[in-house]
Amino acid sequence: MLEISVETCSFALREAFVISRGSRTAVETVEVRISDGKASGRGESVPYKRYGESVASVVAALQAMAPALKDGLDREALQTAMPAGAARNALDLAFWDYEAKKAGLRVWELPAYQALAGPWPAPVVSAYTLSIAAPEVMHDAAAKAAARPVLKVKLAGDEADVARIEAVRAGAPDARLIVDANEGWSPEGYAAAADAMAAAGVDLIEQPIHADRDAALDGMDRPVRLCADESCHTRATLDALEGRYDVVNIKLDKTGGLTEALAMRAEAEKRGFGVMVGCMMSSSLGVAPAVSLSVGAGMVDLDPPMLLGEDRTPALTVEGSLVRPPLAALWG
């Protein structure tokens, strides 16, 4: 029999984080703990308004699972007991942490993890995100971060985007660039900007247009590889991405946990998709489970510990852009 407790947490950012949907100065998360009175585990998720979630709705969904947990709900049964999303993610991650603590092992040593072909943990190089700003401001931000191997550039979907990416390239001439407009372009706007992105040496464009308009990508030239983010949630969404996207961005809050994320990575690779592992803006507790998932991925975007003004203790160890696997005291 497992008991559950749920609490909300807030973590300040070092500076405003600005994307095409708006800006924020703090991160609001939901933390779940499950315990049998001896061993316990915890997980964190980030409700996302874009997917119809709020802190209140996620808290309510998790609290509603208390009777099922007392009746013996386990991680396998959880996959059909709750829909994919932030609430299931927090509980799925808490189960993994609980199973590891109960067995006296790390998560990646568990037979259940190895059965899902989970990669062994290792340090991974993460992208570092530059928020939307005026081109000259983004140039200076890129110059300060020019030693980082990968920069993720947020764009607004407006006429200044080409100037922004050119300014970033001038500021960081050697960095690998990812562009992310968070669905901000129209299909016509994306088509008009794509060649300029290629000319600037952009390696990947994330979700250029709204997920509901993905059909507009059919037959469209892709001078830069396209990565599905808002269009990509679980294995069930992969069918609609074939022929439109080259890469999928796997995030635990979208897949509903590490269990589905591991299975989705394997299926995506089998189908020939490149894999990017990303995350929502969260604390180190939310990022930690994605570190092992990221090993061997073509692109990794796990930079919240680099952007937070305050974090959990212990936090993930970050050296420049290198993110190390979590300590057991943090997760797993």
Side-chain angles (χ1 to χ4, degrees), residues 135 139 155 160-172 177 196-197 199-200:
H139 171 276
L155 294 180
D161 280 345
V162 171
R164 290 186 179 102
I165 198 63
E166 291 174 345
V168 168
R169 175 50 80 202
L177 299 183
M197 299 297 128

Side-chain angles (χ1 to χ4, degrees), residues 30 33 36 50 53 99 112 143 150 164 238 253 282 288 307:
V30 177
R33 289 180 180 266
D36 63 8
R50 166 67 178 82
E53 299 170 335
E99 291 168 23
V150 186
R164 290 186 179 102
L238 291 175
D253 276 306
S282 60
L307 304 174

Side-chain angles (χ1 to χ4, degrees), residues 204 225-229 241 245-249 273-276:
L204 193 69
R225 294 183 304 155
L226 289 188
C227 176
D229 184 352
L241 305 179
Y245 289 94
D246 308 289
V247 180
V248 293
N249 189 345
F273 287 105
V275 169
M276 177 178 183

Side-chain angles (χ1 to χ4, degrees), residues 265-288:
R265 175 173 171 172
E267 178 64 20
E269 290 175 337
K270 180 180 177 182
R271 294 185 183 214
F273 287 105
V275 169
M276 177 178 183
V277 177
C279 62
M280 302 304 185
M281 186 60 71
S282 60
S283 81
S284 280
L285 178 59
V287 177

